[in-house]
Amino acid sequence: MERLKILFLFFAFSVGMCAQTEETDTFCVDTVEVLPWPQNIQYRLDSLSQLKMFETSMLGMVVYDLTADSVLYKVNERQAMRPASTMKLVTAIAALDRLGGAYQFRTQLYYTGEVKDSTLYGDLYCVGGFDPAFDKDDLRAFVESVSNLGVDTIRGRIITDRSFKDEDLLGEGWCWDDDNPKISPLSLGRDIDFLDHFFRALCNKDIVMDVRLSEGTLPDDGRILCTRTHTMDQVLQRMMKMSDNFYAEAMFYQIASSTGRRPAKAKDAAGVIRQLIQKVGNGKNPYRIADGSGLSLYNYVTPELEMRLLRYAYRNANIYEHLLPSLPIAGRDGTLKTRMKHTFAEENVKAKTGTVTGISALAGYCTAANGHQLCFSIINQGIMKSDTGRNFQDKVCDALCAP
């Protein structure tokens, strides 16, 4: 392959072709038009990989032709790197593979005791299932379910059951000075003071509250009052389009919970993801899975692994039909809304972005000019400005989509 590239570059030079430079950011049309597929794409990417930015930073990249079932281009594809928020791709694919697209995120309200003369002599249990989308409408439904029980007074306790996951409110390897979400399995939006909101909502419904507020675990004799759910697609949309870290951690702990362990722990989810890594053929390479969002400094993957997971998703309709609509679309929405406008990649590339200090990444899908479906992973490591990485990734995507 390297010899073939050299021959084509020599041919390019001999007919007066010009390579892309960091200053011009353009290809000479004649340069690429004389080269057949896929050498035209490889020439463009070879030119981009020689940019001056790589004198002081590292590039890991792989492009896979899903139609031809072959690697189109690769450089440092097995280099372990921090994925930033492209980690959410790993989490999403693992969740869809493990849980399925019909899975629902659930928060429930139970009661114990008995109702006598419009008074509940017993307890209310709010059972968290780490639904990140639980909102004020859902809280109102909880209150209505209590009212519909024929209750205007509660004498007992209101108890939050957070046994779905461990007590850790921050992920392993998260920076202490970042504005990180608290990962509680029972919250109103991101507010973990669930009991306070529920108590006040009941009072506003004119229900007399003679209660104590506490933590506990649902007993066997609890009776269901209300269940509120959100779908896999609803959670995926915000998690991927807006790169929402709270939603990604909720997804991560659903994977952990699927093992049947209570409380679920991050290591449980990591174990499931490692099983998937083995399934896609990368089990022997060194990886580190610390969280579901990519906030952790301890996550390490490779561009090749992300490519293999994207390929696995593409080949599995039950995964792909949920994953693809959740990805940001270049120039249209989500974290790619302002990127790749007025290029061949606009509204073509569907990919997950990733940005933390020193890292910029992009991984997803696009369609080449000849109709071939491609997937790719690009990780820029050791960059001082995120825009430097984003600009490079946008050029790569334009090169992949251009005629």
PDB file of all heavy atoms in Angstrom, residues 177-207:
ATOM      1  N   ASP A 177     -12.401  20.410  39.321  1.00  0.00           N
ATOM      2  CA  ASP A 177     -12.770  21.810  39.109  1.00  0.00           C
ATOM      3  C   ASP A 177     -13.642  22.015  37.871  1.00  0.00           C
ATOM      4  O   ASP A 177     -13.920  23.146  37.485  1.00  0.00           O
ATOM      5  CB  ASP A 177     -11.512  22.683  39.008  1.00  0.00           C
ATOM      6  CG  ASP A 177     -10.538  22.221  37.922  1.00  0.00           C
ATOM      7  OD1 ASP A 177     -10.712  21.104  37.410  1.00  0.00           O
ATOM      8  OD2 ASP A 177      -9.609  22.978  37.605  1.00  0.00           O
ATOM      9  N   ASP A 178     -14.105  20.918  37.247  1.00  0.00           N
ATOM     10  CA  ASP A 178     -15.043  21.045  36.129  1.00  0.00           C
ATOM     11  C   ASP A 178     -16.476  21.118  36.658  1.00  0.00           C
ATOM     12  O   ASP A 178     -16.767  20.716  37.783  1.00  0.00           O
ATOM     13  CB  ASP A 178     -14.923  19.838  35.192  1.00  0.00           C
ATOM     14  CG  ASP A 178     -13.702  19.923  34.305  1.00  0.00           C
ATOM     15  OD1 ASP A 178     -13.093  21.009  34.241  1.00  0.00           O
ATOM     16  OD2 ASP A 178     -13.342  18.907  33.687  1.00  0.00           O
ATOM     17  N   ASP A 179     -17.368  21.639  35.841  1.00  0.00           N
ATOM     18  CA  ASP A 179     -18.788  21.705  36.201  1.00  0.00           C
ATOM     19  C   ASP A 179     -19.447  20.386  35.806  1.00  0.00           C
ATOM     20  O   ASP A 179     -20.143  20.286  34.798  1.00  0.00           O
ATOM     21  CB  ASP A 179     -19.450  22.886  35.489  1.00  0.00           C
ATOM     22  CG  ASP A 179     -20.899  23.065  35.902  1.00  0.00           C
ATOM     23  OD1 ASP A 179     -21.281  22.547  36.971  1.00  0.00           O
ATOM     24  OD2 ASP A 179     -21.663  23.707  35.151  1.00  0.00           O
ATOM     25  N   ASN A 180     -19.206  19.366  36.622  1.00  0.00           N
ATOM     26  CA  ASN A 180     -19.680  18.025  36.289  1.00  0.00           C
ATOM     27  C   ASN A 180     -21.069  17.763  36.865  1.00  0.00           C
ATOM     28  O   ASN A 180     -21.392  18.235  37.953  1.00  0.00           O
ATOM     29  CB  ASN A 180     -18.715  16.976  36.853  1.00  0.00           C
ATOM     30  CG  ASN A 180     -17.336  17.082  36.246  1.00  0.00           C
ATOM     31  OD1 ASN A 180     -17.188  17.259  35.053  1.00  0.00           O
ATOM     32  ND2 ASN A 180     -16.308  16.988  37.084  1.00  0.00           N
ATOM     33  N   PRO A 181     -21.896  16.988  36.167  1.00  0.00           N
ATOM     34  CA  PRO A 181     -23.208  16.630  36.717  1.00  0.00           C
ATOM     35  C   PRO A 181     -23.062  15.621  37.843  1.00  0.00           C
ATOM     36  O   PRO A 181     -22.149  14.799  37.849  1.00  0.00           O
ATOM     37  CB  PRO A 181     -23.922  16.006  35.518  1.00  0.00           C
ATOM     38  CG  PRO A 181     -22.821  15.431  34.684  1.00  0.00           C
ATOM     39  CD  PRO A 181     -21.658  16.379  34.840  1.00  0.00           C
ATOM     40  N   LYS A 182     -23.961  15.694  38.824  1.00  0.00           N
ATOM     41  CA  LYS A 182     -24.011  14.704  39.901  1.00  0.00           C
ATOM     42  C   LYS A 182     -24.805  13.497  39.395  1.00  0.00           C
ATOM     43  O   LYS A 182     -25.958  13.641  39.000  1.00  0.00           O
ATOM     44  CB  LYS A 182     -24.670  15.283  41.152  1.00  0.00           C
ATOM     45  CG  LYS A 182     -23.982  16.539  41.681  1.00  0.00           C
ATOM     46  CD  LYS A 182     -22.581  16.230  42.182  1.00  0.00           C
ATOM     47  CE  LYS A 182     -21.968  17.417  42.911  1.00  0.00           C
ATOM     48  NZ  LYS A 182     -21.785  18.607  42.058  1.00  0.00           N
ATOM     49  N   ILE A 183     -24.187  12.327  39.389  1.00  0.00           N
ATOM     50  CA  ILE A 183     -24.812  11.161  38.762  1.00  0.00           C
ATOM     51  C   ILE A 183     -25.596  10.347  39.793  1.00  0.00           C
ATOM     52  O   ILE A 183     -25.192   9.269  40.212  1.00  0.00           O
ATOM     53  CB  ILE A 183     -23.776  10.305  38.003  1.00  0.00           C
ATOM     54  CG1 ILE A 183     -22.532  10.013  38.868  1.00  0.00           C
ATOM     55  CG2 ILE A 183     -23.362  11.011  36.725  1.00  0.00           C
ATOM     56  CD1 ILE A 183     -21.535   9.085  38.172  1.00  0.00           C
ATOM     57  N   SER A 184     -26.743  10.894  40.169  1.00  0.00           N
ATOM     58  CA  SER A 184     -27.660  10.218  41.077  1.00  0.00           C
ATOM     59  C   SER A 184     -28.744   9.517  40.267  1.00  0.00           C
ATOM     60  O   SER A 184     -29.200  10.044  39.246  1.00  0.00           O
ATOM     61  CB  SER A 184     -28.312  11.234  42.016  1.00  0.00           C
ATOM     62  OG  SER A 184     -29.394  10.645  42.714  1.00  0.00           O
ATOM     63  N   PRO A 185     -29.202   8.336  40.710  1.00  0.00           N
ATOM     64  CA  PRO A 185     -30.247   7.618  39.967  1.00  0.00           C
ATOM     65  C   PRO A 185     -31.642   8.185  40.181  1.00  0.00           C
ATOM     66  O   PRO A 185     -32.587   7.737  39.544  1.00  0.00           O
ATOM     67  CB  PRO A 185     -30.157   6.200  40.529  1.00  0.00           C
ATOM     68  CG  PRO A 185     -29.683   6.393  41.929  1.00  0.00           C
ATOM     69  CD  PRO A 185     -28.730   7.551  41.869  1.00  0.00           C
ATOM     70  N   LEU A 186     -31.762   9.183  41.058  1.00  0.00           N
ATOM     71  CA  LEU A 186     -33.060   9.807  41.303  1.00  0.00           C
ATOM     72  C   LEU A 186     -32.861  11.308  41.390  1.00  0.00           C
ATOM     73  O   LEU A 186     -32.283  11.822  42.351  1.00  0.00           O
ATOM     74  CB  LEU A 186     -33.676   9.279  42.606  1.00  0.00           C
ATOM     75  CG  LEU A 186     -35.100   9.744  42.930  1.00  0.00           C
ATOM     76  CD1 LEU A 186     -36.085   9.309  41.841  1.00  0.00           C
ATOM     77  CD2 LEU A 186     -35.547   9.212  44.286  1.00  0.00           C
ATOM     78  N   SER A 187     -33.320  12.008  40.375  1.00  0.00           N
ATOM     79  CA  SER A 187     -33.139  13.454  40.329  1.00  0.00           C
ATOM     80  C   SER A 187     -34.240  14.063  39.475  1.00  0.00           C
ATOM     81  O   SER A 187     -34.912  13.379  38.698  1.00  0.00           O
ATOM     82  CB  SER A 187     -31.765  13.816  39.761  1.00  0.00           C
ATOM     83  OG  SER A 187     -31.628  13.305  38.443  1.00  0.00           O
ATOM     84  N   LEU A 188     -34.418  15.350  39.657  1.00  0.00           N
ATOM     85  CA  LEU A 188     -35.342  16.110  38.817  1.00  0.00           C
ATOM     86  C   LEU A 188     -34.489  16.918  37.864  1.00  0.00           C
ATOM     87  O   LEU A 188     -33.905  17.929  38.252  1.00  0.00           O
ATOM     88  CB  LEU A 188     -36.227  17.019  39.678  1.00  0.00           C
ATOM     89  CG  LEU A 188     -37.273  17.850  38.930  1.00  0.00           C
ATOM     90  CD1 LEU A 188     -38.300  16.957  38.243  1.00  0.00           C
ATOM     91  CD2 LEU A 188     -37.967  18.822  39.877  1.00  0.00           C
ATOM     92  N   GLY A 189     -34.401  16.471  36.619  1.00  0.00           N
ATOM     93  CA  GLY A 189     -33.393  17.029  35.744  1.00  0.00           C
ATOM     94  C   GLY A 189     -32.034  16.641  36.292  1.00  0.00           C
ATOM     95  O   GLY A 189     -31.736  15.463  36.484  1.00  0.00           O
ATOM     96  N   ARG A 190     -31.227  17.656  36.584  1.00  0.00           N
ATOM     97  CA  ARG A 190     -29.922  17.394  37.202  1.00  0.00           C
ATOM     98  C   ARG A 190     -29.913  17.681  38.698  1.00  0.00           C
ATOM     99  O   ARG A 190     -28.885  17.544  39.349  1.00  0.00           O
ATOM    100  CB  ARG A 190     -28.857  18.251  36.506  1.00  0.00           C
ATOM    101  CG  ARG A 190     -28.469  17.717  35.146  1.00  0.00           C
ATOM    102  CD  ARG A 190     -27.769  18.774  34.321  1.00  0.00           C
ATOM    103  NE  ARG A 190     -27.252  18.201  33.108  1.00  0.00           N
ATOM    104  CZ  ARG A 190     -27.982  17.814  32.068  1.00  0.00           C
ATOM    105  NH1 ARG A 190     -29.298  17.938  32.107  1.00  0.00           N
ATOM    106  NH2 ARG A 190     -27.429  17.301  30.987  1.00  0.00           N
ATOM    107  N   ASP A 191     -31.054  18.084  39.234  1.00  0.00           N
ATOM    108  CA  ASP A 191     -31.148  18.442  40.647  1.00  0.00           C
ATOM    109  C   ASP A 191     -31.366  17.178  41.476  1.00  0.00           C
ATOM    110  O   ASP A 191     -32.397  16.507  41.359  1.00  0.00           O
ATOM    111  CB  ASP A 191     -32.311  19.422  40.851  1.00  0.00           C
ATOM    112  CG  ASP A 191     -32.308  20.042  42.240  1.00  0.00           C
ATOM    113  OD1 ASP A 191     -31.657  19.490  43.141  1.00  0.00           O
ATOM    114  OD2 ASP A 191     -32.971  21.085  42.414  1.00  0.00           O
ATOM    115  N   ILE A 192     -30.398  16.861  42.324  1.00  0.00           N
ATOM    116  CA  ILE A 192     -30.484  15.622  43.098  1.00  0.00           C
ATOM    117  C   ILE A 192     -31.328  15.778  44.363  1.00  0.00           C
ATOM    118  O   ILE A 192     -31.556  14.804  45.085  1.00  0.00           O
ATOM    119  CB  ILE A 192     -29.086  15.089  43.464  1.00  0.00           C
ATOM    120  CG1 ILE A 192     -28.348  16.052  44.386  1.00  0.00           C
ATOM    121  CG2 ILE A 192     -28.280  14.812  42.204  1.00  0.00           C
ATOM    122  CD1 ILE A 192     -27.030  15.495  44.908  1.00  0.00           C
ATOM    123  N   ASP A 193     -31.812  16.998  44.651  1.00  0.00           N
ATOM    124  CA  ASP A 193     -32.681  17.204  45.815  1.00  0.00           C
ATOM    125  C   ASP A 193     -34.121  16.822  45.468  1.00  0.00           C
ATOM    126  O   ASP A 193     -35.051  17.630  45.552  1.00  0.00           O
ATOM    127  CB  ASP A 193     -32.606  18.656  46.284  1.00  0.00           C
ATOM    128  CG  ASP A 193     -31.236  19.010  46.820  1.00  0.00           C
ATOM    129  OD1 ASP A 193     -30.603  18.131  47.426  1.00  0.00           O
ATOM    130  OD2 ASP A 193     -30.794  20.156  46.625  1.00  0.00           O
ATOM    131  N   PHE A 194     -34.294  15.575  45.083  1.00  0.00           N
ATOM    132  CA  PHE A 194     -35.601  15.103  44.602  1.00  0.00           C
ATOM    133  C   PHE A 194     -36.677  15.206  45.679  1.00  0.00           C
ATOM    134  O   PHE A 194     -37.792  15.657  45.418  1.00  0.00           O
ATOM    135  CB  PHE A 194     -35.458  13.647  44.142  1.00  0.00           C
ATOM    136  CG  PHE A 194     -36.691  13.087  43.504  1.00  0.00           C
ATOM    137  CD1 PHE A 194     -36.851  13.115  42.122  1.00  0.00           C
ATOM    138  CD2 PHE A 194     -37.712  12.523  44.272  1.00  0.00           C
ATOM    139  CE1 PHE A 194     -37.990  12.603  41.531  1.00  0.00           C
ATOM    140  CE2 PHE A 194     -38.848  12.005  43.689  1.00  0.00           C
ATOM    141  CZ  PHE A 194     -38.991  12.042  42.307  1.00  0.00           C
ATOM    142  N   LEU A 195     -36.348  14.788  46.894  1.00  0.00           N
ATOM    143  CA  LEU A 195     -37.340  14.766  47.968  1.00  0.00           C
ATOM    144  C   LEU A 195     -37.913  16.141  48.245  1.00  0.00           C
ATOM    145  O   LEU A 195     -39.116  16.302  48.484  1.00  0.00           O
ATOM    146  CB  LEU A 195     -36.713  14.205  49.245  1.00  0.00           C
ATOM    147  CG  LEU A 195     -36.923  12.721  49.526  1.00  0.00           C
ATOM    148  CD1 LEU A 195     -36.340  12.346  50.871  1.00  0.00           C
ATOM    149  CD2 LEU A 195     -38.388  12.355  49.471  1.00  0.00           C
ATOM    150  N   ASP A 196     -37.060  17.136  48.241  1.00  0.00           N
ATOM    151  CA  ASP A 196     -37.513  18.501  48.504  1.00  0.00           C
ATOM    152  C   ASP A 196     -38.549  18.936  47.468  1.00  0.00           C
ATOM    153  O   ASP A 196     -39.590  19.511  47.809  1.00  0.00           O
ATOM    154  CB  ASP A 196     -36.319  19.452  48.504  1.00  0.00           C
ATOM    155  CG  ASP A 196     -36.718  20.891  48.796  1.00  0.00           C
ATOM    156  OD1 ASP A 196     -37.326  21.128  49.854  1.00  0.00           O
ATOM    157  OD2 ASP A 196     -36.431  21.766  47.967  1.00  0.00           O
ATOM    158  N   HIS A 197     -38.279  18.641  46.185  1.00  0.00           N
ATOM    159  CA  HIS A 197     -39.216  19.008  45.117  1.00  0.00           C
ATOM    160  C   HIS A 197     -40.533  18.249  45.260  1.00  0.00           C
ATOM    161  O   HIS A 197     -41.616  18.817  45.081  1.00  0.00           O
ATOM    162  CB  HIS A 197     -38.585  18.724  43.751  1.00  0.00           C
ATOM    163  CG  HIS A 197     -37.483  19.668  43.392  1.00  0.00           C
ATOM    164  ND1 HIS A 197     -37.712  20.972  43.010  1.00  0.00           N
ATOM    165  CD2 HIS A 197     -36.130  19.480  43.358  1.00  0.00           C
ATOM    166  CE1 HIS A 197     -36.548  21.562  42.750  1.00  0.00           C
ATOM    167  NE2 HIS A 197     -35.586  20.678  42.958  1.00  0.00           N
ATOM    168  N   PHE A 198     -40.441  16.967  45.565  1.00  0.00           N
ATOM    169  CA  PHE A 198     -41.646  16.149  45.679  1.00  0.00           C
ATOM    170  C   PHE A 198     -42.491  16.594  46.875  1.00  0.00           C
ATOM    171  O   PHE A 198     -43.721  16.709  46.788  1.00  0.00           O
ATOM    172  CB  PHE A 198     -41.261  14.674  45.816  1.00  0.00           C
ATOM    173  CG  PHE A 198     -42.414  13.723  45.763  1.00  0.00           C
ATOM    174  CD1 PHE A 198     -43.480  13.910  44.879  1.00  0.00           C
ATOM    175  CD2 PHE A 198     -42.429  12.597  46.592  1.00  0.00           C
ATOM    176  CE1 PHE A 198     -44.540  13.009  44.829  1.00  0.00           C
ATOM    177  CE2 PHE A 198     -43.486  11.697  46.546  1.00  0.00           C
ATOM    178  CZ  PHE A 198     -44.541  11.911  45.679  1.00  0.00           C
ATOM    179  N   PHE A 199     -41.841  16.865  47.994  1.00  0.00           N
ATOM    180  CA  PHE A 199     -42.541  17.316  49.193  1.00  0.00           C
ATOM    181  C   PHE A 199     -43.306  18.613  48.913  1.00  0.00           C
ATOM    182  O   PHE A 199     -44.498  18.748  49.245  1.00  0.00           O
ATOM    183  CB  PHE A 199     -41.545  17.513  50.335  1.00  0.00           C
ATOM    184  CG  PHE A 199     -42.161  18.006  51.615  1.00  0.00           C
ATOM    185  CD1 PHE A 199     -42.735  17.116  52.518  1.00  0.00           C
ATOM    186  CD2 PHE A 199     -42.177  19.359  51.926  1.00  0.00           C
ATOM    187  CE1 PHE A 199     -43.310  17.564  53.698  1.00  0.00           C
ATOM    188  CE2 PHE A 199     -42.751  19.818  53.099  1.00  0.00           C
ATOM    189  CZ  PHE A 199     -43.313  18.914  53.989  1.00  0.00           C
ATOM    190  N   ARG A 200     -42.630  19.570  48.305  1.00  0.00           N
ATOM    191  CA  ARG A 200     -43.277  20.853  48.024  1.00  0.00           C
ATOM    192  C   ARG A 200     -44.412  20.708  47.016  1.00  0.00           C
ATOM    193  O   ARG A 200     -45.439  21.381  47.113  1.00  0.00           O
ATOM    194  CB  ARG A 200     -42.243  21.873  47.535  1.00  0.00           C
ATOM    195  CG  ARG A 200     -41.352  22.385  48.664  1.00  0.00           C
ATOM    196  CD  ARG A 200     -40.492  23.571  48.284  1.00  0.00           C
ATOM    197  NE  ARG A 200     -39.326  23.162  47.521  1.00  0.00           N
ATOM    198  CZ  ARG A 200     -39.147  23.425  46.242  1.00  0.00           C
ATOM    199  NH1 ARG A 200     -40.084  24.059  45.548  1.00  0.00           N
ATOM    200  NH2 ARG A 200     -38.048  23.044  45.629  1.00  0.00           N
ATOM    201  N   ALA A 201     -44.244  19.817  46.030  1.00  0.00           N
ATOM    202  CA  ALA A 201     -45.303  19.590  45.038  1.00  0.00           C
ATOM    203  C   ALA A 201     -46.547  18.990  45.692  1.00  0.00           C
ATOM    204  O   ALA A 201     -47.688  19.342  45.340  1.00  0.00           O
ATOM    205  CB  ALA A 201     -44.791  18.688  43.930  1.00  0.00           C
ATOM    206  N   LEU A 202     -46.366  18.096  46.654  1.00  0.00           N
ATOM    207  CA  LEU A 202     -47.498  17.523  47.381  1.00  0.00           C
ATOM    208  C   LEU A 202     -48.191  18.586  48.232  1.00  0.00           C
ATOM    209  O   LEU A 202     -49.430  18.646  48.296  1.00  0.00           O
ATOM    210  CB  LEU A 202     -47.018  16.370  48.269  1.00  0.00           C
ATOM    211  CG  LEU A 202     -46.616  15.082  47.545  1.00  0.00           C
ATOM    212  CD1 LEU A 202     -45.857  14.156  48.495  1.00  0.00           C
ATOM    213  CD2 LEU A 202     -47.835  14.371  46.967  1.00  0.00           C
ATOM    214  N   CYS A 203     -47.410  19.432  48.867  1.00  0.00           N
ATOM    215  CA  CYS A 203     -47.989  20.523  49.662  1.00  0.00           C
ATOM    216  C   CYS A 203     -48.788  21.477  48.781  1.00  0.00           C
ATOM    217  O   CYS A 203     -49.870  21.942  49.166  1.00  0.00           O
ATOM    218  CB  CYS A 203     -46.886  21.284  50.396  1.00  0.00           C
ATOM    219  SG  CYS A 203     -46.086  20.352  51.714  1.00  0.00           S
ATOM    220  N   ASN A 204     -48.278  21.766  47.597  1.00  0.00           N
ATOM    221  CA  ASN A 204     -48.976  22.662  46.675  1.00  0.00           C
ATOM    222  C   ASN A 204     -50.291  22.075  46.181  1.00  0.00           C
ATOM    223  O   ASN A 204     -51.161  22.786  45.671  1.00  0.00           O
ATOM    224  CB  ASN A 204     -48.078  23.006  45.485  1.00  0.00           C
ATOM    225  CG  ASN A 204     -46.904  23.879  45.874  1.00  0.00           C
ATOM    226  OD1 ASN A 204     -46.952  24.574  46.890  1.00  0.00           O
ATOM    227  ND2 ASN A 204     -45.843  23.854  45.072  1.00  0.00           N
ATOM    228  N   LYS A 205     -50.433  20.753  46.312  1.00  0.00           N
ATOM    229  CA  LYS A 205     -51.671  20.063  45.950  1.00  0.00           C
ATOM    230  C   LYS A 205     -52.634  20.045  47.144  1.00  0.00           C
ATOM    231  O   LYS A 205     -53.692  19.412  47.084  1.00  0.00           O
ATOM    232  CB  LYS A 205     -51.331  18.635  45.510  1.00  0.00           C
ATOM    233  CG  LYS A 205     -52.469  17.862  44.865  1.00  0.00           C
ATOM    234  CD  LYS A 205     -52.861  18.423  43.519  1.00  0.00           C
ATOM    235  CE  LYS A 205     -53.902  17.537  42.849  1.00  0.00           C
ATOM    236  NZ  LYS A 205     -54.371  18.061  41.568  1.00  0.00           N
ATOM    237  N   ASP A 206     -52.279  20.771  48.203  1.00  0.00           N
ATOM    238  CA  ASP A 206     -53.086  20.865  49.429  1.00  0.00           C
ATOM    239  C   ASP A 206     -53.196  19.520  50.146  1.00  0.00           C
ATOM    240  O   ASP A 206     -54.214  19.225  50.792  1.00  0.00           O
ATOM    241  CB  ASP A 206     -54.491  21.418  49.127  1.00  0.00           C
ATOM    242  CG  ASP A 206     -54.442  22.854  48.629  1.00  0.00           C
ATOM    243  OD1 ASP A 206     -53.564  23.604  49.096  1.00  0.00           O
ATOM    244  OD2 ASP A 206     -55.268  23.223  47.775  1.00  0.00           O
ATOM    245  N   ILE A 207     -52.177  18.706  50.022  1.00  0.00           N
ATOM    246  CA  ILE A 207     -52.101  17.469  50.795  1.00  0.00           C
ATOM    247  C   ILE A 207     -51.363  17.762  52.095  1.00  0.00           C
ATOM    248  O   ILE A 207     -50.257  18.319  52.082  1.00  0.00           O
ATOM    249  CB  ILE A 207     -51.385  16.362  49.989  1.00  0.00           C
ATOM    250  CG1 ILE A 207     -52.192  16.011  48.742  1.00  0.00           C
ATOM    251  CG2 ILE A 207     -51.172  15.122  50.856  1.00  0.00           C
ATOM    252  CD1 ILE A 207     -51.522  15.009  47.828  1.00  0.00           C
TER     253      ILE A 207
END
